[in-house]
Amino acid sequence: MRRPTISDLAKASGVSVATIDRVLNGRHRVREETARRVYEAAQEIGYHAVGLLRQRVFEDLPQYRLGFVLQKPVQAFYQAFAREIAVAAQAVTTARINAQVDFVTASTPTAIVEKLKAMAARSQAVALVAPDYPAVTAAIEELQEKGIPVFSLLSDFSTTARRGYIGVDNRKVGRTAAWVIARSARRPGKVACFVGSHRFLGHELREIGFRSYFRENAPEFEVLDTLINLDTPEITHEATLDLLQKHPDLIGFYVCGGGMEGAISAIREERLSGKLIAVVNELTPESKAALADDVVAMAIGTPLPALCKELMGLMIAAIENGEAAVPGQSFLPFDIFLSENI
């Protein structure tokens, strides 16, 4: 495709070529509203000098270094999360954001604390996805004392030192998964739930919601003992096959964290598509294909674009205005994906 020219940018932004030149070269003052319009149009059409335009438009704005520590870099969900963080950082118009993303490859307390402290050393605020280990809690409290706000993402921490939680209401997510299984089942029977780890408080809340729904609204179903899959496809695959062998009358199950690829492959292997009601978390290439093939009944998704936009605002507010400016919890509505709306 032809690379957009300065004339294309002028047409897209509704200003003259001379105005574009003034914005690019900073020769004469251009109204802020006009400069922003030029910058947004440049992003839209893929103009090659969009980086320079951003620098010109936002050069008088404060600059903030924000750090983000995510889990499992090979997972499609966390790759998408990193991309959305970059998009949200670019979209901030009240400050210049330098967003730094790093991943924890091993979910051990030592590895997480090392990543957290390394990121905090070069950031003014940090957001973190991690299990709730005492060592992580201590590190967050230490950073709080140094004036570096830390936010929990997706799964909260037990410490009050964290500045805020941003994610979905995990208890409601678990209850929604249970509602789908109970309402879709042709008869009562056995159901199961996989969690990555009870150290992830978000997983624990989803399990609580899942069990409480059946206890309150569908007591005729039998909820089996919870299975730990460490968020890995391999363990989930073997655990699913073992579950099906021990309980051939299984109605359905919910994978409330990672590792759903293993459950999907096990259902395909046993040729049980359409015969089990499986609910998973997040829409990825694997879960999307499973929805289309009737291997999975529903995927519950985190609204990453909305979450990252909200997160940017909260982290900036924490830097500029301190603790009083940030709510303790920010719940976003979760997405629901079925075979008919993917």
Side-chain angles (χ1 to χ4, degrees):
M1 293 180 64
R2 182 177 65 87
R3 189 166 78 163
T5 65
I6 195 169
S7 297
D8 296 324
L9 179 56
K11 184 178 179 181
S13 56
V15 301
S16 67
V17 171
T19 299
I20 301 291
D21 181 69
R22 287 199 300 272
V23 176
L24 279 169
N25 297 295
R27 292 187 180 128
H28 301 285
R29 262 312 275 174
V30 176
R31 282 192 310 164
E32 183 181 345
E33 179 186 347
T34 302
R36 287 183 186 276
R37 191 162 75 245
V38 171
Y39 168 67
E40 289 166 3
Q43 280 189 306
E44 226 172 276
I45 68 173
Y47 187 64
H48 66 278
V50 66
L52 177 59
L53 280 167
R54 177 175 175 81
Q55 184 178 337
R56 296 297 189 203
V57 172
F58 299 114
E59 61 185 354
D60 295 331
L61 296 178
Q63 300 183 45
Y64 298 127
R65 300 181 311 278
L66 306 182
F68 305 87
V69 180
L70 307 180
Q71 294 278 315
K72 301 186 185 295
V74 298
Q75 287 191 357
F77 170 73
Y78 283 110
Q79 292 171 8
F81 203 162
R83 289 193 297 270
E84 291 298 339
I85 287 171
V87 169
Q90 286 286 323
V92 174
T93 58
T94 58
R96 293 172 63 183
I97 303 299
N98 178 10
Q100 305 173 86
V101 179
D102 203 351
F103 297 88
V104 177
T105 54
S107 291
T108 62
T110 301
I112 295 166
V113 169
E114 285 178 358
K115 287 286 185 183
L116 175 59
K117 289 186 175 181
M119 184 62 76
R122 59 182 190 269
S123 305
Q124 293 166 273
V126 179
L128 172 71
V129 182
D132 185 48
Y133 291 115
V136 175
T137 294
I140 292 171
E141 291 170 350
E142 182 183 325
L143 293 176
Q144 170 75 359
E145 291 175 3
K146 294 179 179 179
I148 300 172
V150 178
F151 290 82
S152 59
L153 301 175
L154 307 181
S155 179
D156 208 352
F157 302 121
S158 57
T159 177
T160 56
R162 67 98 174 102
R163 189 58 56 92
Y165 163 77
I166 305 99
V168 298
D169 185 328
N170 287 301
R171 186 171 176 275
K172 286 185 178 180
V173 169
R175 291 182 69 86
T176 301
W179 182 92
V180 168
I181 294 174
R183 294 298 182 96
S184 302
R186 294 174 184 170
R187 65 184 187 283
K190 297 175 181 177
V191 296
C193 178
F194 291 85
V195 300
S197 165
H198 285 106
R199 286 289 183 182
F200 274 113
L201 299 189
H203 291 193
E204 189 171 55
L205 284 171
R206 289 174 186 175
E207 180 200 2
I208 289 169
F210 185 81
R211 288 183 172 279
S212 67
Y213 179 87
F214 280 109
R215 184 171 59 248
E216 295 165 18
N217 300 294
E220 64 275 17
F221 286 80
E222 180 185 351
V223 183
L224 301 173
D225 289 341
T226 297
L227 300 161
I228 309 295
N229 68 356
L230 302 180
D231 285 335
T232 60
E234 297 79 12
I235 293 176
T236 310
H237 180 90
E238 294 302 320
T240 302
L241 293 177
D242 186 58
L243 183 68
L244 293 171
Q245 184 178 11
K246 289 180 178 177
H247 305 282
D249 55 344
L250 186 74
I251 297 292
F253 60 82
Y254 171 41
V255 183
C256 82
M260 64 175 169
E261 300 87 353
I264 290 168
S265 62
I267 293 173
R268 293 189 192 279
E269 186 178 311
E270 295 298 307
R271 299 182 180 180
L272 292 173
S273 300
K275 297 176 183 177
L276 281 175
I277 307 166
V279 179
V280 299
N281 267 72
E282 309 307 344
L283 188 69
T284 66
E286 290 83 3
S287 61
K288 190 172 183 179
L291 284 167
D293 294 342
D294 204 22
V295 174
V296 164
M298 184 176 77
I300 302 174
T302 303
L304 288 177
L307 184 152
C308 292
K309 181 181 179 181
E310 176 83 2
L311 179 59
M312 292 297 163
L314 291 173
M315 294 177 82
I316 292 169
I319 295 169
E320 293 180 341
N321 305 311
E323 190 170 352
V326 179
Q329 292 180 313
S330 295
F331 291 133
L332 294 107
F334 46 85
D335 299 323
I336 290 178
F337 299 101
L338 309 169
S339 61
E340 302 308 311
N341 72 344
I342 54 175

